[in-house]
Structure formats: C-alpha cells, structure tokens
Amino acid sequence: MQCLGRWGFFLLSLCSKGTVVRQLLSQPAVPRKVVYVGDGRNDFCAAANLRKGDVVLARAGFSLERLLQEQRMEVAATALVWETYDQLAQLLREHSAISVS
C-alpha cells in the first residue's frame, strides 16, 4: 500500500481508510471536494491520500493533529483543527455543500 512507504510504523490495517479514500477518488464521478474528519493515527493515511483543494478536519490534541504537523509536506489537503463539536459543525458548514445543524 502506498501509505506504508514513508510511515513504516503504521500497520496494514491502519491504512484501510486510506484505501477507501483512494477508491473514492478513482471513481468516474470524483467528488469536487472531499472533507475528511478524523482524530487518530489511523486517519493519517486517509488524509495523506487527499488532494489539494480537499480538507482534513483534525480533532485538537489527538494523534492526527500531531501527525499532520510532523508530516505536513506529505499532505496536499488543507488541514484545519477543531476542539468542540460546535467548531466542527461550523467548519463543515464552511467547507462542504451539506447543511449542518
């Protein structure tokens, strides 16, 4: 799997979300923009497979935020951090076409 190359400490099972993102982006009707929400290190492979113009929303103080800071050159998507669910809802409203109440 692509994600394992640089981050050998990740187990194969931790990159399953990255596989799902790659499959989504390889479909004929590729979404214009993907907004991915995560918090753990198992979300990093998915974030690393996002494109420029996509957004990853990382929960503050969790592993994904730290990994995005450490590996920022490896992630093309815009990385934003949220602490509360109200902040998450606001970011989802700002970066997606869905209605969040």
Side-chain angles (χ1 to χ4, degrees):
M1 298 184 74
Q2 287 178 320
C3 193
L4 292 175
R6 181 107 192 255
W7 310 283
F9 61 90
F10 282 104
L11 299 174
L12 187 61
S13 63
L14 293 180
C15 288
S16 61
K17 293 178 183 182
T19 301
V20 171
V21 168
R22 278 196 307 279
Q23 289 172 347
L24 172 72
L25 296 176
S26 71
Q27 298 300 311
V30 176
R32 287 183 297 165
K33 182 179 187 178
V34 173
V35 179
Y36 185 88
V37 180
D39 60 8
R41 70 182 187 139
N42 62 332
D43 292 303
F44 183 74
C45 284
N49 281 282
L50 295 174
R51 309 159 296 184
K52 184 175 181 179
D54 293 335
V55 178
V56 58
L57 303 176
R59 191 171 181 187
F62 284 73
S63 301
L64 180 59
E65 179 192 20
R66 181 180 47 79
L67 287 168
L68 289 169
Q69 290 170 352
E70 291 172 0
Q71 304 289 337
R72 81 187 121 201
M73 299 303 290
E74 304 297 329
V75 179
T78 300
L80 302 171
V81 178
W82 59 277
E83 291 184 27
T84 67
Y85 290 107
D86 288 336
Q87 289 174 336
L88 175 60
Q90 180 61 36
L91 288 168
L92 287 169
R93 277 191 291 275
E94 292 172 11
H95 296 282
S96 67
I98 62 171
S99 176
V100 180
S101 49

